[in-house]
Every structure is written in structure tokens, then in C-alpha cells.
Amino acid sequence: MEGRTRYAEVDWIRSALFVGRRYVVVGDLLDADAPHEYTWRLHANAGGTVGGSVTLDASHQRAHILRERAGLQVHVGASVPVTVHPAPATHPETDYVYWHVINGAPGEHDVLDATFIGQSETVVSVLFPHRVATPAPSGLDGSAQVTAITGLPAGAWAWRIELGDGTVDVVVANQGGGSLTVEVAPGLEVTTNGRWAAFTAVHGARPRAWVVRGDAAAINGASLALDGSAATFAFTP
């Protein structure tokens, strides 16, 4: 799904992709005439205090929220450096961002912020929920691994997502536009010209791809058709 608006002199397009009932990819395309300080904000626990523990790894733009029965892996990538951090511990009641009605009474709640300074940028986040201490499908038990793929041009980045059942997915973003090829593993490459794209089951017999603001996707040079009836769907302007 996709939505768009203009806010504070920034054209903002957000696309969301629900992948196999396992995780969510959210892509934000920001286009402005001047630099801005941007904040990507996660409100967790339905507006209540997150609770549990939050582990940060700012060098890889990621965080892990862990509670007694469930957890959430949060991965944020942008075309400029991103810092992931919790919101300030204290803030005035007038700051409506943190101050919500909870159970009928005003109260504060925790949020997680990813902040950066840029102008026209691409931000792609992966939200990976998982269960804790209960039987769960592979990949929803915390066994999924999301790792950065390095060695890409400036303004481009990619994640390799390994699910517990051996399935490998790839999320690619490319602020600069044009064709981008990413080596997923020796002998395995994905190519797209989209601002961002998601490839699923790249090792399997029926890989799929979703391309945002582009019209091409390929695995090892073999193009995937971009029509609604085929294995690939493209969001186009």
C-alpha cells in the first residue's frame, strides 16, 4: 500500500509491504527544496510505554525491543547516516508527541527515534516481530538474521534477510536512481532501478520482487516481469 502528503515543505511518499505474514518493510521517499532534520519515529505498544528492554546498535541503524512474550527487531537505513536512539527520558507535558491519553488519563509513553539531516532522501525500515518462549514458526522465534550488505555506492544500501527455514530475502534502496546490482551471495545477484525494492525467496524456484519508483528487477540477469498478474508487482509514479 502507498500514501502521500506534503508536510513542512517536504513531499513525502510512504509505501508499506507485508512480507509473507512475517515482517513489514516501510519505505519513505522524501523530496525537499532545502535540507531538513528528519525524525523517523516508532510508537510501540499501542501508545503505551514500551516496557521490557531496548538494545541499540546505532552503528548498524538497528534496535531490538524485547518483552516477556514478544520482541521486535527494528532496522532503519537511509541515504545519509542515521542515528537510532530512544526519546528523552523527560519532556514537558506540552510536547504532544509524547503525551497521550492512556486508559482514560493523560500519560507519557516511550518512542524510538531515528534522526538524520538531509534533503531529498530514501529511508527504508524493516520491522521484524517475533515471539518469545512459545512455539512459533521459524523466523518468528527470533531466529531471523538481518545483515547489511556492504561495498555499495554512496546513497545505496541493502539488507540480507535470512529466515529460520533457510529462505533468503533482500531489501535494496538506491537514492541515486539508475540500475543497481547487489551481490547477495557468491553467484547470486539482484538488480533493480527502483528507489527501493524487496526480493523474496531469491534462492527458491519462485522468487518475487516488489519495486517502488522503478520498472525493472532481475536475479542473475534474468528479468522478472512487472505486471500485476505475474510474480512481481511494481509501484509506479
Side-chain angles (χ1 to χ4, degrees):
M1 63 181 181
E2 182 177 286
R4 64 183 66 197
T5 189
R6 181 171 177 83
Y7 177 75
E9 299 183 348
V10 178
D11 291 319
W12 174 24
I13 300 175
R14 167 165 284 186
S15 306
L17 176 65
F18 296 82
V19 183
R21 300 179 67 183
R22 290 189 168 186
Y23 62 95
V24 180
V25 183
V26 179
D28 293 302
L29 307 183
L30 306 169
D31 290 297
D33 295 329
H36 291 262
E37 180 178 69
Y38 295 104
T39 298
W40 181 98
R41 172 162 289 159
L42 176 67
H43 296 263
N45 194 27
T49 296
V50 172
S53 63
V54 179
T55 303
L56 301 176
D57 183 357
S59 64
H60 291 89
Q61 299 85 49
R62 66 184 67 193
H64 188 195
I65 300 172
L66 187 62
R67 300 188 65 177
E68 180 180 355
R69 298 179 60 185
L72 179 68
Q73 295 182 34
V74 182
H75 306 264
V76 184
S79 42
V80 292
V82 172
T83 300
V84 178
H85 56 88
T90 59
H91 29 267
E93 182 176 345
T94 55
D95 189 342
Y96 68 91
V97 172
Y98 306 100
W99 199 262
H100 285 241
V101 174
I102 302 174
N103 296 327
E108 297 179 351
H109 75 280
D110 297 334
V111 298
L112 193 70
D113 286 348
T115 57
F116 58 97
I117 296 176
Q119 186 167 331
S120 296
E121 311 297 344
T122 302
V123 184
V124 180
S125 54
V126 176
L127 306 178
F128 217 122
H130 65 87
R131 301 177 189 172
V132 174
T134 58
S138 183
L140 289 183
D141 56 2
S143 64
Q145 298 293 320
V146 181
T147 56
I149 298 175
T150 59
L152 300 179
W157 73 101
W159 285 309
R160 174 188 170 105
I161 302 171
E162 300 178 64
L163 305 180
D165 60 3
T167 301
V168 176
D169 299 347
V170 183
V171 175
V172 178
N174 184 20
Q175 169 64 23
S179 180
L180 175 69
T181 297
V182 176
E183 183 180 39
V184 180
L188 180 61
E189 295 180 337
V190 299
T191 302
T192 183
N193 65 355
R195 285 274 293 269
W196 72 269
F199 295 79
T200 62
V202 292
H203 282 301
R206 298 183 62 188
R208 305 180 71 181
W210 288 261
V211 179
V212 177
R213 294 303 176 273
D215 59 6
I219 297 178
N220 284 346
S223 297
L224 301 176
L226 292 182
D227 62 40
S229 61
T232 303
F233 182 79
F235 292 100
T236 55

